[in-house]
């Protein structure tokens, strides 16, 4: 029999079936977003959350203990792409919303269509390196989530945290070491990125973990703005 249990992140559940899977309750029943499975448990539909497609799910399953809550938050999502991870945040959100920043028009068209079905998604076609391009749409946010695979990942995150993250706000930053420097060991790249977040942008590191089981040479950093 299928059994649903809570995780420490409100709205993210573990469905214990033949093999345990992460799920969120589908806000648009009958509709999948990226080919994930839809599963009915006692008359309520859930969507499986694939850790090979979403680094937030990978971070949870890699044992991270300090991932932030999503439930009531105003979230700035840098590199939202077509909305794979954002769709699960959208499922979880109660009163909050997600500003999704993406600079590829082709990708953004798909996210825009998703936002027509999910009213807590706000699509913004812009370059995350230029917060001034979208500062007129956003005042302050509780959480920044970033997944952009660029050489200057910490700098992009730091600038956006300076501009938009409220005092006491949290951030989750996915680091792809191969986009930064292929000649260095990933551990050195991760450590340089954390140093920049702390020294240049005065952000505190709450937790760090690689997510090698799901994505090679990637890490997740959870920060707080003091
Ligand atoms: C790895 S994908 C993100 C996947 C997504 N986070 C998810 O889990 O569903 C990275 C995305 O960031 C976008 N991106 C990269 N650099 C960017 C920038 N400077 N500004 C905005 N978007 C950017 C890319 O176009 C791509 O869609």
């Amino acid at each position: 029999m299928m059994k649903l249990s809570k995780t420490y992140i409100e709205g993210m559940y573990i469905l214990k079936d033949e093999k345990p899977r992460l799920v969120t309750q589908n806000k648009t029943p009958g509709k999948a977003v990226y080919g994930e499975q839809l599963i009915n448990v006692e008359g309520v539909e859930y969507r499986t959350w694939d850790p090979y497609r979403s680094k937030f799910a990978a971070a949870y399953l890699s044992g991270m203990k300090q991932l932030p809550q999503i439930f009531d938050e105003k979230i700035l999502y840098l590199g939202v792409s077509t909305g794979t991870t954002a769709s699960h945040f959208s499922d979880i959100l109660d009163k909050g919303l997600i500003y999704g920043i993406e600079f590829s028009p082709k990708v953004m068209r798909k996210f825009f269509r998703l936002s027509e079905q999910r009213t807590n998604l706000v699509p913004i076609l812009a370059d995350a390196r230029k917060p001034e391009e979208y500062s007129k749409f956003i005042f302050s946010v509780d959480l920044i989530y970033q997944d952009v695979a660029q050489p200057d990942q910490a700098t992009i995150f730091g600038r956006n945290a300076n501009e938009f993250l409220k005092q006491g706000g949290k951030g989750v930053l996915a680091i792809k070491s191969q986009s930064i420097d292929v000649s260095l060991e990933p551990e050195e790249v991760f450590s340089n990125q954390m140093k920049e977040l702390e020294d240049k942008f005065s952000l505190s590191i709450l937790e760090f973990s690689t997510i090698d089981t799901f994505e090679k040479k990637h890490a997740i950093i959870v920060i707080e703005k003091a």
Side-chain angles (χ1 to χ4, degrees):
M1 205 184 78
M2 284 191 284
K3 190 172 171 287
L4 209 58
S5 20
K6 290 182 177 175
T7 68
Y8 72 87
I9 294 166
E10 192 163 359
M12 176 195 252
Y13 303 98
I14 295 181
L15 184 67
K16 293 194 177 117
D17 200 356
E18 296 126 37
K19 52 174 187 182
R21 281 170 294 180
L22 288 178
V23 296
T24 52
Q25 188 179 333
N26 193 357
K27 265 212 168 73
T28 55
K31 288 193 177 106
V33 174
Y34 58 99
E36 73 282 14
Q37 234 187 310
L38 305 180
I39 301 172
N40 195 295
V41 184
E42 293 172 9
V44 179
E45 188 175 279
Y46 294 85
R47 303 165 52 229
T48 54
W49 193 343
D50 185 348
Y52 293 93
R53 302 280 304 274
S54 168
K55 294 174 194 101
F56 191 87
Y60 179 84
L61 293 175
S62 299
M64 294 190 81
K65 298 279 179 280
Q66 304 223 46
L67 291 167
Q69 297 298 325
I70 305 294
F71 192 67
D72 253 345
E73 307 295 88
K74 223 180 250 173
I75 302 170
L76 173 60
Y77 194 132
L78 305 169
V80 76
S81 189
T82 53
T84 299
T85 299
S87 68
H88 289 287
F89 289 173
S90 162
D91 278 346
I92 292 174
L93 280 171
D94 180 30
K95 293 195 198 75
L97 55 82
I98 303 166
Y99 299 103
I101 308 292
E102 172 57 56
F103 73 173
S104 156
K106 191 169 166 226
V107 167
M108 181 45 100
R109 267 197 290 281
K110 235 177 147 180
F111 184 66
F112 184 81
R113 282 199 290 277
L114 187 66
S115 75
E116 291 178 322
Q117 298 163 13
R118 292 170 172 266
T119 53
N120 54 19
L121 299 178
V122 181
I124 301 177
L125 180 67
D127 186 341
R129 286 199 180 92
K130 299 176 184 159
E132 65 281 3
E133 281 187 0
Y134 42 93
S135 58
K136 54 181 171 296
F137 305 117
I138 304 168
F139 177 58
S140 89
V141 296
D142 308 299
L143 172 63
I144 299 181
Y145 185 86
Q146 178 180 305
D147 181 12
V148 292
Q150 291 286 355
D152 50 347
Q153 290 165 58
T155 311
I156 293 174
F157 187 89
R159 282 208 195 121
N160 280 275
N162 271 355
E163 183 84 21
F164 302 112
L165 191 59
K166 73 172 193 192
Q167 223 71 41
K170 302 241 172 97
V172 177
L173 170 55
I175 300 281
K176 181 178 180 182
S177 73
Q178 295 300 88
S179 301
I180 296 171
D181 194 335
V182 286
S183 70
L184 295 179
E185 286 301 317
E187 286 64 30
E188 199 175 343
V189 173
F190 300 146
S191 141
N192 292 343
Q193 295 287 291
M194 286 194 277
K195 196 166 163 26
E196 181 175 346
L197 293 168
E198 288 178 314
D199 296 353
K200 195 165 160 202
F201 296 104
S202 305
L203 297 167
S204 310
I205 309 290
L206 297 182
E207 195 176 13
F208 164 85
S209 176
T210 57
I211 51 168
D212 275 350
T213 312
F214 305 99
E215 292 269 11
K216 298 278 174 242
K217 300 182 180 179
H218 281 71
I220 298 291
I221 302 170
V222 182
I223 66 92
E224 185 171 42
K225 184 170 175 177

